[in-house]
Amino acid sequence: MTERDGFTRTGPGHLNLGQAGPRAASPGLAVEASGLAKSYRDVRVLAGVDLRVPAGTVFALLGPNGAGKTTTVRILATLVRADDGVARVAGFDVRRDRSQVRRTISLTGQFAALDEMQTGTENLRMMGRLSGLSRTAARQRASELLGQFELTKAAGRRVATYSGGLRRRLDIAASLVGGPSVIFLDEPSTGLDPQSRLAMWRVIEGLAASGVTIFLTTQYLEEADRLAGRIAVLDAGQIIAEGTAAELKRKVAAQRLDLTAASRAAFERLVRHFRGALVHQDDVSLTLGVPTEGDAAEVRALLDQADPDRSLIAGFTVHSASLDDVFLTLTDSAN
Amino acid sequence: MSDALIMAGRSLRLSARSPEALLTALMLPVMLMVVFVYLFGGAVDIGTKYVNYVAPGVLLLCAVTGAATTAVTVCQDMAGGIIDRFRSLDVSGPAVLAGHVTASLLRNFVSTLLVIAVALGIGFRPHSSVGAFAAALGVLLLFVAAASWFAAAFGLLVRAPEAANSAMFFLMFFCYASSAFVPVRTMPTWLRGFAAHQPATPVTETIRGLLLGHSHPLPLGAALAWCLGIGLVSMGSAAVLFRRRTA
Ligand SMILES: Nc1ncnc2c1ncn2[C@@H]1O[C@H](COP(=O)(O)OP(=O)(O)OP(=O)(O)O)[C@@H](O)[C@H]1O
Ligand SMILES: [Mg+2]
């Protein structure tokens, strides 16, 4: 926990999450998994996944399409049974203590889990009743959540008329009716426009500040970087890296050297020269990027080796590596 | 149990808002009654007033079309994300399914009353005591429950709601190939054996007998056995299928 420690404090949050507070504040691990494996027919979707998420933190599982993110989340949320491995959520075994796990967690899936033909209010009240609230309590909880998620105006409309952003917010609100202490969010901002994405991030930050544990999946490094204290990179069913955003960046190279080629022919020669080392390549702007430690001697040597005649490279910049660079380097070397 | 009631309330609200479900529950029964009595009624000569013969059959036909809606709603739930939400709220599979079946019973209860009202309006004249009338209604609803559980299992078996709709044709076939619309003796010989011994016939005969005050013995035992049998087997299969789908 280095730069994201802000998320781990409990303190007074913006959001009232019912009973969530006390349990989340207790020490220990909110999620603990080891050796999770899952295959569908002969396709190995997860090949031994280990995870440890301290209570009260934000954790991001980062991976490309088909990496196994949804499968992992569904196993942890007791919706899918792993073929092998064990997992505990809030201290409960996902296989043996399924009901306790379910009472402790919430899951917001990749696709909205709402009734299109019911209004926002009706959806929330129904979820409230199903999670054991009385009629009055469910009504109260619904209007509370609608207020917190700025959905009051849309509350009386059927969900079928909602925009993507509204729908996602209602979906998260619906998952919170029972006051969960571990919140799973599967790709919470996929498909949202930049503005709705920003609003979603604020919602997640607000939840985090209330002291609950958040386990989110994403394909966006920027999102993991912004929201999560720790990040695990999942690729083809295996965790290929784990750490804080800063640690991951250090793991590969602190800096990136971007070169602008003088011509297309020069660009192609440079691409051939660097080949496997490239973390960035843009055929239109004729730029390419390679990792570097960033000190002058190394940069000078890189430039000289790539372009001994000093004719191929028109310009260069050095900047700190983004998580995208880390990700591309990690997944490349894993393959 | 209370989860099932909440789910039933949801299911009823959803059908009240779905034009298709409303059409199936309210318009179709009226149309079928009118079609059978006025269009086919003239061509069918079975010795009694055809409306008296056919009204119980139309009741049965409406019951199966209504029950078949369950296949579509169950299938839609399974295809969408909502089932994951229910499961993560620890609502059991049987509770979700029982909710759909309960809603189907209530929908069909309303349609049945509507069909009876229309039938009375166009000349249907039952001769039964209050007790016999209630018994007929009871047998019909037991049949609806069995058909709804069957439809629920069917909705779990197929993946697409469009495919789930074919549960209706399957169930309707049993109605047509029974004594619901014409007596079995008027059917071709190869069909008679099947028609006389498949579940829809004893159910129709029992309901018809109770409503018209027939004095000959009714196949009540066979009707109840079929309904309970189909209901229990379907219920069991639905529970297994639900577990398989969500494994
Ligand atoms: N029920 C299933 N039956 C067969 N294959 C499945 C099933 N669920 C997932 N898979 C396969 O498992 C792999 C991983 O799927 P998963 O949904 O976990 O990936 P993901 O990381 O969430 O991807 P995305 O970013 O596209 O959501 C995919 O190849 C997918 O086709
Ligand atoms: Mg996914």
Side-chain angles (χ1 to χ4, degrees):
Chain A
M1 293 290 114
T2 50
E3 49 187 30
R4 298 283 163 184
D5 271 352
F7 286 131
T8 64
R9 69 157 191 248
T10 40
H14 320 314
L15 293 171
N16 168 19
L17 285 166
Q19 325 90 335
R23 191 194 281 278
S26 73
L29 294 173
V31 177
E32 192 180 5
S34 70
L36 290 185
K38 179 78 188 172
S39 301
Y40 285 106
R41 299 230 166 76
D42 47 356
V43 183
R44 204 156 164 75
V45 177
L46 296 182
V49 168
D50 300 336
L51 294 166
R52 291 165 68 83
V53 181
T57 64
V58 180
F59 182 87
L61 189 61
L62 179 67
N65 283 132
K69 304 183 294 295
T70 300
T71 308
T72 306
V73 166
R74 288 172 62 84
I75 288 172
L76 294 176
T78 77
L79 297 184
V80 166
R81 207 176 259 243
D83 299 336
D84 203 5
V86 288
R88 297 177 81 77
V89 173
F92 299 115
D93 188 286
V94 293
R95 192 182 287 243
R96 276 183 294 115
D97 317 318
R98 208 162 66 173
S99 291
Q100 281 98 321
V101 173
R102 288 181 177 178
R103 251 171 263 145
T104 316
I105 62 153
S106 77
L107 167 64
T108 305
Q110 202 167 344
F111 307 101
L114 299 162
D115 269 332
E116 297 277 307
M117 298 303 279
Q118 293 203 73
T119 68
T121 311
E122 287 166 344
N123 267 290
L124 291 185
R125 284 185 191 167
M126 174 178 75
M127 311 299 181
R129 299 279 286 130
L130 287 175
S131 56
L133 299 181
S134 71
R135 206 177 286 272
T136 337
R139 183 168 309 161
Q140 223 160 32
R141 186 81 182 119
S143 64
E144 214 172 271
L145 284 165
L146 288 166
Q148 281 163 9
F149 284 83
E150 293 172 23
L151 287 163
T152 310
K153 254 196 280 170
R157 279 197 282 128
R158 290 187 190 173
V159 173
T161 68
Y162 281 25
S163 70
L166 275 182
R167 196 175 296 231
R168 203 64 71 89
R169 283 220 300 279
L170 181 66
D171 202 21
I172 293 187
S175 77
L176 299 178
V177 283
S181 62
V182 181
I183 296 175
F184 292 97
L185 302 168
D186 194 8
E187 302 199 18
S189 73
T190 299
L192 299 187
D193 63 33
Q195 207 177 342
S196 312
R197 172 169 301 166
L198 210 60
M200 180 56 60
W201 287 352
R202 287 205 202 95
V203 164
I204 295 170
E205 283 164 351
L207 288 173
S210 75
V212 297
T213 308
I214 297 180
F215 187 116
L216 62 91
T217 76
T218 180
Q219 306 184 24
Y220 305 108
L221 305 139
E222 186 195 1
E223 184 164 275
D225 195 5
R226 163 151 182 179
L227 296 173
R230 292 186 79 77
I231 300 168
V233 183
L234 185 68
D235 187 44
Q238 281 183 308
I239 303 284
I240 55 170
E242 208 261 316
T244 63
E247 279 166 10
L248 288 182
K249 286 180 192 171
R250 273 202 299 278
K251 211 168 212 164
V252 182
Q255 311 278 315
R256 191 172 105 187
L257 171 66
D258 273 9
L259 306 174
T260 307
S263 66
R264 180 155 299 274
F267 176 75
E268 274 152 17
R269 278 185 61 183
L270 288 170
V271 168
R272 270 199 304 280
H273 174 77
F274 287 109
R275 250 173 305 164
L278 287 179
V279 291
H280 166 77
Q281 176 178 344
D282 184 340
D283 302 8
V284 178
S285 64
L286 302 182
T287 57
L288 39 88
V290 287
T292 163
E293 287 314 310
D295 58 279
E298 197 209 349
V299 170
R300 190 177 287 139
L302 272 173
L303 292 174
D304 281 342
Q305 280 158 20
D307 184 13
D309 306 334
R310 306 196 171 177
S311 61
L312 303 177
I313 299 170
F316 73 89
T317 55
V318 177
H319 55 89
S320 14
S322 75
L323 267 175
D324 280 301
D325 307 328
V326 177
F327 188 66
L328 288 174
T329 316
L330 288 173
T331 50
D332 265 2
S333 61
N335 297 338
Chain B
M1 192 56 218
S2 70
D3 280 355
L5 287 180
I6 298 166
M7 297 307 296
R10 157 188 183 254
S11 190
L12 279 178
R13 185 179 296 151
L14 293 183
S15 24
R17 289 178 188 177
S18 147
E20 268 169 51
L22 272 186
L23 216 66
T24 316
L26 302 177
M27 283 292 292
L28 195 64
V30 175
M31 270 167 48
L32 286 173
M33 184 58 91
V34 170
V35 164
F36 274 100
V37 172
Y38 289 117
L39 281 177
F40 303 150
V44 182
D45 181 11
I46 51 161
T48 58
K49 223 169 72 172
Y50 187 58
V51 64
N52 280 340
Y53 182 85
V54 84
V58 175
L59 278 176
L60 201 74
L61 187 62
C62 295
V64 301
T65 50
T69 320
T70 311
V72 181
T73 53
V74 166
C75 191
Q76 276 168 344
D77 271 8
M78 298 306 289
I82 193 96
I83 195 69
D84 284 348
R85 172 66 36 82
F86 292 148
R87 290 178 65 213
S88 59
L89 286 170
D90 215 21
V91 180
S92 72
V96 174
L97 299 174
H100 282 293
V101 171
T102 308
S104 166
L105 273 172
L106 290 171
R107 273 198 312 263
N108 274 291
F109 183 67
V110 175
S111 326
T112 299
L113 294 184
L114 190 69
V115 176
I116 292 175
V118 172
L120 290 173
I122 61 178
F124 175 52
R125 292 296 168 261
H127 293 278
S128 69
S129 62
V130 175
F133 185 86
L137 207 59
V139 172
L140 185 67
L141 288 179
L142 191 67
F143 178 73
V144 170
S148 300
W149 274 111
F150 172 84
F154 191 83
L156 287 165
L157 198 63
V158 298
R159 299 289 159 136
E162 294 78 22
N165 215 0
S166 60
M168 188 184 294
F169 300 110
F170 186 75
L171 287 168
M172 279 168 92
F173 167 76
F174 277 85
C175 281
Y176 287 123
S178 78
S179 65
F181 303 105
V182 290
V184 172
R185 63 181 149 79
T186 65
M187 293 179 185
T189 9
W190 57 267
L191 190 58
R192 258 181 242 165
F194 171 76
H197 295 103
Q198 58 113 335
T201 295
V203 173
T204 316
E205 291 302 325
T206 302
I207 294 172
R208 184 180 286 135
L210 286 167
L211 287 179
L212 299 180
H214 285 169
S215 50
H216 55 77
L218 301 174
L220 179 64
L224 294 182
W226 272 118
C227 290
L228 287 175
I230 294 171
L232 291 176
V233 169
S234 302
M235 211 184 277
S237 325
V240 170
L241 284 168
F242 187 91
R243 223 169 306 133
R244 269 240 307 265
R245 280 290 293 271
T246 56

